[in-house]
Amino acid sequence: MNIVLSTLNAKYIHTNIAIRYLKAYAEPEYTCELAEFTIHDPTLSIVSDLYQHSPDVVGFSAYIWNIEETIKAIRLLKLTSPHTIVVCGGPEVTYDYDQWLERVPEIDYIVIGEGEKTFKDLLQAIDGKMNITDVQGIAYRQEKQLKITAPGPKLDLRTLPSPFRFTEDIPHLPNRVVYIETSRGCPFSCQFCLSSIEVGVRYFNRDAIKEDIRYLMANGAKTIKFVDRTFNISRSYAMEMFQFLIDEHVPGTVFQFEITGDIMRPEVIQFLNDHAPAGLFRFEIGVQSTNDLTNELVKRRQNFTKLSRTVTMVKEGGKIAQHLDLIAGLPEEDYASFRDTFNEVFALRPEELQLGFLKLLRGTGLRIQAEQYGYRYIDTAPYEIVSNNVLSFDDMLKIKQTEDILEKYWNSGRFIHSMEYIVTTLVETPFDFFQLFGNFWEKQGWSRIGHQFEDLFTRLEQFLRDVLQVDMAVAQSLMKLDYLLHQKFLPRKIWWAPSSTLQEEQIKDINQLLVHSPHLLGDSFETYRYTERTIRKQVFITETAAKVLDDFTVVEEPGYLIVQYSPGETATHYHLSQSTVDSVKEYQK
């Protein structure tokens, strides 16, 4: 029997752990081939590839991000290969399976919930080795009648075979994200999340997980993401895994975790700050809302004070990048409240702040309560809301404009100095900046055209001049700094106006000053021993109105921004004050 396990990932770099668990569990009785695509691949291309396998059974793993494209593939596959049995599983079809079977009659069987044993039993039934009615946890049609079998007991995760030991995966490990789970289930009951439906947390075999991680690292895996819903629910377990990863990690590997921030103990964070190499770990922390009533309505227990302590300690440690999540559209959180939530969380200055929009997932409590809160939402995946009883569509559009600018100017990490100055000095709150700029961006029609890196600076400059109407001297100086620090080599073009550019003779004078008096910029600059010829190839000089201190404090101090580009190193910046230049010139007279 030819069996293919397939899915459509959101991006090429993603891998699907679910179909690998199914493949591992089905062996050795059944050999399954893996066929992964992306949601951007043409349907005909996907089906052509599957068709080449001459499959008797094709299993699709379905999620909110791929269900619509998966349906297209299923329909075309059945059209071209009517005898092929199509099995669908995954969180998107586990709920409302009767509706899916009615909407997509090309689906022969739906696997409900945890699929490893169910899928293997289904293969045995298809193979004539057991009765279909004895397969637990499936939905199907028999003579146009819906048939459902009750799910079986939860699996003992400690006995599951590894999904990572397939030789065909090895060449792709260095270039793709590897997903790994050490537990299933979640102890919390957040009504917007599918994980709240499964009661309790079950763990995999710890030693087996460690062996899998060793294997992945030995075969070149660079990014390993733990998909546990709350990795740190058990302090002792989290500490054991953190210690293992610190002790045995291969340099260059990054591990990502979903962390519940308010239950993270300070001593755990201090341990990581003291012992974890910089860049080894990355935390994703769901905040969603700081509105107490909203959190109560969605049954989300959260202590924002403790969460803030966690984020602050991690940030001060400087070892771990943090990605914080918000959800717009939760019950009883209107526009003003969401603005407050955004500002409270942004005040923590995470490296990334993801502003998401509520999706009423099948099977969740909020979808069941949609009418109670006046939710209007798109009836196809991903089921994103467009309004509710306290948040209008106009409000949602404003928040979407905010999210667009947040991604471009904060989460990109390209405007660190200028953003900090703008949101703390030029506007009432950070949210106001992102929203006002987002609205301006939309009105200019920029959302409908592309942009180069330089365009981001010129458009920001135009917004500051036309809308905020501020003195541009300091802001432009910090924007210059951000632009220059993100160049790998001495830039050949600049975004600022020629009137703000030094004349050739001025640059020559400063270069000569730095060649003869490099100590003016400190010991590190002096070690390069520049000549008048080499300095022009590795040092960029422009006027500035401000000096940035190590803690990002901005001091208005006219002078020169000196940015140094050395092969194999990140750009380094220095500030040479005008008063220092004047003093040296006076002394030389």
Side-chain angles (χ1 to χ4, degrees):
M1 193 162 55
N2 291 337
I3 307 161
V4 178
L5 291 168
S6 184
T7 195
L8 280 65
N9 297 317
K11 298 178 180 178
Y12 170 77
I13 62 169
H14 297 167
T15 53
N16 184 278
I17 191 175
I19 60 175
R20 286 168 171 79
Y21 269 117
L22 297 181
K23 174 178 170 66
Y25 198 91
E27 294 179 344
E29 291 81 0
Y30 298 99
T31 299
C32 304
E33 296 183 76
L34 301 177
E36 287 182 279
F37 308 95
T38 78
I39 55 176
H40 307 292
D41 291 332
T43 302
L44 183 58
S45 175
I46 293 170
V47 173
S48 297
D49 188 287
L50 294 173
Y51 185 86
Q52 299 300 317
H53 293 275
S54 301
D56 298 299
V57 178
V58 176
F60 288 94
S61 189
Y63 307 84
I64 58 170
W65 64 79
N66 74 3
I67 183 63
E68 295 302 324
E69 298 305 316
T70 298
I71 289 172
K72 294 177 185 177
I74 289 172
R75 286 175 171 159
L76 184 55
L77 178 62
K78 272 292 191 178
L79 184 65
T80 57
S81 183
H83 74 278
T84 297
I85 295 173
V86 173
V87 182
C88 216
E92 180 56 15
V93 295
T94 280
Y95 307 95
D96 301 335
Y97 40 77
D98 54 335
Q99 297 177 27
W100 287 117
L101 287 172
E102 181 178 349
R103 179 185 169 190
V104 192
E106 292 85 355
I107 298 175
D108 295 295
Y109 299 97
I110 287 179
V111 172
I112 302 169
E114 203 163 47
E116 287 88 351
K117 185 177 186 303
T118 299
F119 182 70
K120 185 171 185 177
D121 287 349
L122 179 58
L123 292 178
Q124 290 182 313
I126 294 170
D127 204 19
K129 295 181 179 179
M130 68 183 291
N131 195 308
I132 191 67
T133 57
D134 293 331
V135 179
Q136 296 177 306
I138 59 171
Y140 60 100
R141 289 179 306 277
Q142 190 175 68
E143 297 179 354
K144 298 185 179 180
Q145 295 296 312
L146 176 67
K147 300 291 183 179
I148 306 165
T149 64
K154 295 294 183 183
L155 296 175
D156 181 352
L157 302 181
R158 296 169 297 179
T159 66
L160 289 187
S162 170
F164 302 111
R165 305 306 176 101
F166 306 123
T167 55
E168 61 264 39
D169 281 336
I170 292 176
H172 306 291
L173 290 177
N175 302 312
R176 304 182 78 175
V177 178
V178 178
Y179 296 89
I180 191 169
E181 56 179 350
T182 68
S183 66
R184 288 181 185 174
C186 181
F188 302 112
S189 304
C190 305
Q191 295 299 287
F192 50 81
C193 181
L194 280 175
S195 298
S196 66
I197 297 172
E198 180 177 342
V199 179
V201 179
R202 294 170 293 145
Y203 285 90
F204 287 77
N205 181 289
R206 297 186 185 188
D207 292 333
I209 290 293
K210 292 176 182 177
E211 283 302 314
D212 280 338
I213 293 173
R214 292 186 182 107
Y215 171 87
L216 291 168
M217 291 190 297
N219 284 283
K222 298 300 182 185
T223 303
I224 299 176
K225 183 171 183 177
F226 290 76
V227 295
D228 304 59
R229 303 311 299 169
T230 304
F231 181 80
N232 62 317
I233 190 63
S234 167
R235 175 187 175 279
S236 61
Y237 177 69
M239 281 293 289
E240 179 183 337
M241 289 303 295
F242 285 143
Q243 183 71 69
F244 163 72
L245 296 173
I246 290 170
D247 290 343
E248 298 198 28
H249 74 278
V250 173
T253 310
V254 177
F255 298 93
Q256 302 180 12
F257 309 88
E258 291 191 29
I259 297 294
T260 300
D262 59 342
I263 66 171
M264 193 78 159
R265 299 290 301 167
E267 60 266 25
V268 175
I269 304 170
Q270 192 59 55
F271 167 80
L272 295 175
N273 287 345
D274 292 340
H275 301 286
L280 179 64
F281 298 141
R282 177 181 172 85
F283 287 171
E284 181 175 335
I285 301 176
V287 182
Q288 321 314 1
S289 174
T290 61
N291 183 307
D292 291 336
L293 173 60
T294 295
N295 284 325
E296 182 180 340
L297 291 174
V298 298
K299 299 182 181 179
R300 181 175 178 80
R301 303 191 303 272
Q302 178 170 271
N303 185 319
F304 187 66
T305 300
K306 291 183 177 180
L307 185 150
S308 299
R309 178 191 64 192
T310 293
V311 175
T312 301
M313 281 190 69
V314 171
K315 187 171 182 64
E316 289 176 348
K319 299 286 190 70
I320 301 169
Q322 298 180 97
H323 170 118
L324 272 55
D325 294 319
L326 299 180
I327 298 178
L330 291 172
E332 302 305 324
E333 176 139 74
D334 61 14
Y335 185 80
S337 173
F338 186 77
R339 176 178 180 265
D340 291 340
T341 284
F342 181 98
N343 287 324
E344 286 184 77
V345 177
F346 191 85
L348 301 175
R349 296 299 192 270
E351 284 76 13
E352 292 183 18
L353 177 58
Q354 181 173 325
L355 201 170
F357 298 86
L358 179 64
K359 297 167 179 60
L360 296 186
L361 307 180
R362 293 177 183 270
T364 60
L366 276 189
R367 186 170 176 121
I368 296 170
Q369 297 174 289
E371 187 175 343
Q372 176 182 342
Y373 297 112
Y375 280 117
R376 293 184 176 86
Y377 62 97
I378 303 168
D379 62 0
T380 56
Y383 315 113
E384 186 169 300
I385 72 159
V386 295
S387 65
N388 62 24
N389 60 343
V390 297
L391 202 64
S392 69
F393 188 50
D394 281 339
D395 294 332
M396 290 294 289
L397 291 178
K398 289 179 182 177
I399 297 173
K400 282 188 175 293
Q401 292 169 351
T402 305
E403 186 261 348
D404 183 50
I405 299 300
L406 182 72
E407 284 295 315
K408 288 182 173 70
Y409 286 89
W410 182 262
N411 291 343
S412 68
R414 294 172 164 180
F415 296 82
I416 295 175
H417 302 91
S418 46
M419 282 299 102
E420 186 63 33
Y421 173 75
I422 290 169
V423 301
T424 56
T425 308
L426 304 183
V427 288
E428 183 178 348
T429 76
F431 181 88
D432 298 329
F433 162 72
F434 292 111
Q435 205 295 305
L436 287 170
F437 190 13
N439 181 261
F440 180 75
W441 187 286
E442 185 71 27
K443 287 183 177 179
Q444 297 299 313
W446 293 333
S447 60
R448 294 182 291 277
I449 59 177
H451 60 265
Q452 300 294 323
F453 184 44
E454 291 77 11
D455 296 329
L456 294 174
F457 290 87
T458 57
R459 293 174 184 181
L460 174 59
E461 182 182 44
Q462 185 178 340
F463 166 74
L464 295 176
R465 290 186 189 279
D466 295 355
V467 178
L468 297 189
Q469 298 181 347
V470 297
D471 181 356
M472 287 298 298
V474 173
Q476 188 189 62
S477 296
L478 297 174
M479 290 163 63
K480 285 181 179 181
L481 174 60
D482 285 329
Y483 179 79
L484 293 170
L485 288 181
H486 279 84
Q487 307 297 318
K488 293 183 179 180
F489 309 101
L490 200 73
R492 295 184 176 181
K493 63 177 180 178
I494 55 176
W495 59 266
W496 54 91
S499 58
S500 301
T501 304
L502 289 172
Q503 299 298 312
E504 189 64 29
E505 195 62 34
Q506 293 174 290
I507 295 174
K508 183 178 179 180
D509 289 345
I510 299 298
N511 278 337
Q512 289 178 341
L513 176 63
L514 295 178
V515 167
H516 294 102
S517 304
H519 63 277
L520 295 175
L521 299 184
D523 294 341
S524 61
F525 187 85
E526 192 170 9
T527 59
Y528 285 90
R529 301 182 182 278
Y530 286 116
T531 65
E532 291 188 19
R533 183 167 178 263
T534 58
I535 197 170
R536 295 182 65 86
K537 294 182 178 180
Q538 295 187 10
V539 174
F540 188 94
I541 304 172
T542 186
E543 286 182 308
T544 183
K547 177 181 180 180
V548 180
L549 305 182
D550 292 339
D551 63 355
F552 283 78
T553 300
V554 177
V555 178
E556 292 193 36
E557 186 176 328
Y560 302 92
L561 170 62
I562 316 293
V563 181
Q564 178 186 38
Y565 300 92
S566 300
E569 300 178 14
T570 56
T572 306
H573 70 96
Y574 306 87
H575 182 271
L576 180 63
S577 68
Q578 184 64 54
S579 60
T580 298
V581 174
D582 293 341
S583 296
V584 172
K585 287 182 177 180
E586 184 64 30
Y587 176 78
Q588 290 175 341
K589 289 181 179 179

